[in-house]
């Protein structure tokens, strides 16, 4: 919507010659309201095109020039209305040249109270001298006085404009050529960079592939080494078992009451031989177990296991080991339902091992086993009030043969924990330790409820 305003200039378009006049006046008005030279030419050109169209179609129009304020943005526009003197064919106006509409901001047909006008408008730049009502009145007066020039004058002006326009087109074309050249240059640069990057990427890829190859080879070697270690351990242990068992048997025979009686010293020595042989047999058995677990020859027997009977059994069998009166063995009742999918024998073996360690190393207080359901896992914790383990050894005690130096080095082989961790891993879980010297230790077996 625009506010109506008093026209700056009004004129009639009736004959061919008027087209020149309309064009010339249009340019003058455009200049007067502060439009730039380019815009003046645009307005004048659009105006003469529309004027020609209307003259041919309906024999003429009444032309009015005005400055109006746009209701939407409050900006001032130069508005030119051409009211046709007769009805437009089909009641519509289409410019003959489609390019005309692009010369102005708006070009459309406006139907008002009974009259139809073709209206074009172009925004007036804000930098122009302010178009106050007083200024507009001045312009109106000035335009009224200035007489329109001849068709020749207008033709001359038009020629000059044409030359200027052509000049501009040429300079734009030159600019475009320079830009094109620059673009081609940039493209060449980008292509060179792209090629270089591609090459570097290929190089890197080749390096990565080679590295992977090396890595594969190394892990194959590592696997082979680990396998031969397990094989060696298994073979040696197996070979040792028969003679050690024989020594134990012979010791038992020697000490038997039906054999020849031994002197007290002989009996003591035979006792030493027997207990050393029993230790050796325990070591050999543990080595065999570990070798078996490492070689992947242990296949868990997956079943639904109820923790309550398992805990009950551990309570019974380990009570015999809890010989110190200052240490209490507490096996808590697991919260029902305490069922998970696992291998019962292997799980019991792990828990027995941890409880056994707790009882072995704890001098007073308690060793406690408890089960807790955490989401889709069961957490089985064995905690004790024993000497505890320094943080820097938390991982080392899971290495084969490692034993914490000092007081806790009581018997044992250093194979129990690595074996326990192997088994828990086989069961799809993890075995971790939380401990501090003087504050006891807590071993946590975490197992998935539905197996591996
Ligand atoms: P072993 O008990 O036969 O020596 P393990 O592998 O079971 O072998 O344990 C390794 C070492 O970890 C033990 O020698 C001991 O020093 C330490 N350890 C294990 N359990 C405990 C515990 N509950 N409290 C303190 N130290 C422990």
């Amino acid at each position: 919507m625009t506010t109506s305003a008093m026209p700056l200039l009004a004129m009639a378009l009736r004959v061919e010659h008027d087209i020149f006049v309309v064009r010339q006046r249009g340019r003058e008005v455009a200049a007067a309201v502060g439009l730039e030279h380019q815009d003046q030419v645009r307005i004048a050109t659009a105006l003469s095109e529309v004027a020609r169209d209307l003259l041919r179609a309906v024999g003429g129009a009444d032309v009015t020039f005005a400055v109006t304020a746009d209701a939407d943005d409050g900006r001032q526009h130069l508005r030119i209305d051409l009211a046709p003197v007769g009805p437009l064919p089909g009641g519509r106006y289409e410019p003959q040249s489609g390019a005309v509409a692009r010369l102005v901001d708006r070009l459309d047909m406006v139907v008002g109270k009974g009259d139809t006008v073709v209206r074009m408008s172009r925004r007036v730049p804000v930098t122009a001298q302010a178009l106050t009502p007083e200024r507009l009145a001045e312009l109106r007066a000035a335009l009224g006085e200035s007489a329109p020039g001849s068709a020749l004058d207008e033709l001359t002006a038009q020629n000059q404009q044409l030359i200027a326009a052509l000049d501009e087109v040429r300079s734009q074309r030159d600019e475009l050529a320079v830009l094109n050249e620059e673009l081609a240059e940039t493209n060449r640069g980008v292509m060179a960079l792209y090629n270089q990057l591609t090459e570097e990427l290929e190089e890197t890829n080749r390096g990565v592939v080679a590295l992977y190859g090396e890595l594969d080879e190394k892990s194959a070697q590592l696997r082979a080494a680990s396998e031969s270690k397990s094989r060696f351990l298994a073979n040696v242990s197996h070979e040792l078992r028969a003679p050690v068992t024989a020594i134990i048997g012979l010791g038992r025979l020697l000490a038997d009451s039906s054999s020849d009686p031994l002197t007290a010293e002989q009996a003591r020595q035979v006792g030493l031989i027997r207990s050393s042989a029993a230790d050796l047999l325990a070591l050999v058995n543990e080595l065999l177990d570990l070798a078996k677990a490492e070689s992947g020859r242990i296949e868990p027997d997956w079943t639904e296991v109820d923790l309550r009977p398992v805990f009950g059994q551990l309570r019974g069998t380990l009570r015999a080991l809890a010989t110190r009166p200052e240490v209490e063995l507490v096996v808590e009742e697991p919260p029902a339902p305490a069922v998970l999918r696992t291998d019962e024998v292997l799980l019991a073996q792990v828990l027995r091992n941890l409880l056994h360690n707790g009882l072995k190393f704890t001098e007073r207080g308690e060793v406690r086993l408890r089960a807790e359901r955490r989401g889709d896992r069961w957490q089985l914790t064995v905690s004790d009030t024993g000497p505890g383990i320094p943080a820097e050894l938390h991982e080392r005690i899971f290495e084969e043969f490692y034993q914490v130096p000092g007081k806790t080095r009581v018997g044992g082989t250093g194979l129990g924990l690595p074996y326990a961790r192997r088994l828990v891993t086989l069961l799809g879980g993890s075995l971790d330790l939380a401990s501090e010297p003087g504050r006891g230790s807590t071993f946590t077996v975490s197992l998935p409820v539905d197996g591996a």
Side-chain angles (χ1 to χ4, degrees):
M1 240 186 65
T2 55
T3 56
S4 60
M6 209 161 117
L8 283 176
L9 184 68
M11 56 182 294
L13 166 75
R14 296 290 183 274
V15 293
E16 195 76 21
H17 171 76
D18 290 340
I19 296 174
F20 290 106
V21 184
V22 166
R23 188 179 201 287
Q24 193 187 19
R25 298 300 271 168
R27 196 154 46 79
E28 279 170 26
V29 176
V33 299
L35 285 172
E36 284 176 3
H37 179 73
Q38 291 270 350
D39 281 337
Q40 295 168 23
V41 176
R42 284 197 183 95
I43 288 275
T45 309
L47 194 52
S48 71
E49 284 299 307
V50 178
R52 194 186 318 279
D53 286 348
L54 292 179
L55 191 67
R56 299 227 168 111
V58 298
D62 292 323
V63 187
T64 48
F65 299 85
V67 169
T68 61
D70 191 296
D72 292 336
D73 60 7
R75 300 280 303 270
Q76 285 181 311
H77 288 242
L78 169 60
R79 191 182 81 188
I80 305 166
D81 284 349
L82 295 98
V85 293
L88 286 165
R92 303 162 33 84
Y93 170 68
E94 273 303 331
Q96 293 299 298
S97 157
V100 171
R102 284 204 294 275
L103 296 173
V104 288
D105 290 338
R106 298 193 55 169
L107 171 63
D108 37 34
M109 224 179 78
V110 182
V111 182
K113 303 167 240 132
D115 34 78
T116 300
V117 297
V118 176
R119 173 171 294 171
M120 61 176 76
S121 69
R122 176 89 188 169
R123 200 154 76 182
V124 176
V126 268
T127 47
Q129 190 179 358
L131 295 173
T132 55
E134 296 78 47
R135 170 79 185 141
L136 287 173
E138 262 172 53
L139 291 179
R140 197 172 298 121
L143 286 166
E145 270 167 26
S146 70
S150 68
L152 203 59
D153 291 343
E154 182 55 18
L155 204 62
T156 313
Q158 208 170 334
N159 255 351
Q160 273 160 3
Q161 288 156 13
L162 200 62
I163 288 166
L166 281 175
D167 221 28
E168 191 170 335
V169 167
R170 197 179 40 226
S171 85
Q172 273 176 0
R173 203 185 45 209
D174 291 350
E175 254 172 54
L176 203 64
V178 171
L179 275 177
N180 266 344
E181 181 51 38
E182 275 174 20
L183 200 65
E185 184 81 14
T186 313
N187 264 353
R188 279 194 290 277
V190 169
M191 278 313 288
L193 200 70
Y194 178 76
N195 286 339
Q196 194 181 334
L197 278 177
T198 312
E199 239 166 69
E200 275 174 23
L201 202 66
E202 274 169 19
E203 185 99 358
T204 314
N205 266 356
R206 279 196 291 277
V208 171
V209 169
L211 255 167
Y212 266 113
E214 218 170 289
L215 214 61
D216 281 348
E217 203 177 308
K218 285 275 181 302
S219 36
Q221 283 173 3
L222 220 60
R223 228 178 0 256
S226 162
E227 270 163 23
S228 31
K229 185 195 79 178
S230 298
R231 219 175 14 253
F232 172 77
L233 281 181
N235 287 342
V236 169
S237 322
H238 197 76
E239 293 306 320
L240 276 175
R241 206 138 63 149
V244 173
T245 316
I247 291 171
I248 292 172
L250 286 173
R252 195 184 307 121
L253 260 182
L254 275 176
D256 198 86
S257 56
S258 58
S259 307
D260 289 342
L262 302 174
T263 65
E265 179 56 19
Q266 282 171 330
R268 196 183 65 83
Q269 286 173 0
V270 169
L272 274 178
I273 293 173
R274 283 179 68 189
S275 85
S276 301
D279 283 351
L280 194 56
L281 186 62
L283 170 66
V284 165
N285 282 337
E286 281 188 45
L287 269 176
L288 257 179
D289 284 343
L290 188 62
K292 225 168 112 185
E294 284 198 342
S295 66
R297 269 185 290 137
I298 296 184
E299 275 282 333
D301 176 15
W302 299 100
T303 51
E304 295 293 319
V305 175
D306 188 345
L307 286 175
R308 280 165 306 172
V310 175
F311 276 34
Q313 215 157 28
L314 286 170
R315 199 181 285 122
T317 52
L318 282 157
R319 193 161 290 146
L321 287 173
T323 46
R324 292 192 184 108
E326 307 85 359
V327 179
E328 193 187 355
L329 172 67
V330 184
V331 177
E332 291 186 13
E333 190 66 10
V339 184
L340 75 161
R341 196 173 163 70
T342 190
D343 180 313
E344 180 169 346
V345 176
L346 298 184
L347 175 59
Q349 220 170 330
V350 169
L351 294 176
R352 194 178 309 120
N353 192 315
L354 296 175
L355 286 166
H356 191 181
N357 273 353
L359 290 169
K360 196 160 63 173
F361 298 116
T362 305
E363 291 190 326
R364 66 180 54 79
E366 62 166 36
V367 176
R368 179 180 291 268
L369 170 64
R370 70 190 303 250
E372 199 183 341
R373 175 81 186 254
R374 289 260 176 98
D376 56 359
R377 295 181 89 81
W378 272 101
Q379 289 207 332
L380 313 175
T381 50
V382 175
S383 50
D384 63 49
T385 54
I389 300 162
E392 66 274 16
L393 300 182
H394 284 191
E395 276 309 306
R396 286 215 67 185
I397 59 164
F398 290 100
E399 287 173 14
E400 288 143 36
F401 300 111
Y402 187 81
Q403 295 179 304
V404 177
K407 243 169 79 179
T408 61
R409 211 163 177 163
V410 285
T413 57
L415 290 173
L417 287 178
Y419 181 52
R421 189 173 251 182
R422 278 264 154 207
L423 293 187
V424 175
T425 310
L426 268 179
L427 295 176
S430 59
L431 172 56
D432 297 293
L433 164 66
S435 179
E436 253 182 75
R439 300 186 144 230
S441 313
T442 300
F443 288 87
T444 303
V445 178
S446 169
L447 290 173
V449 170
D450 55 1

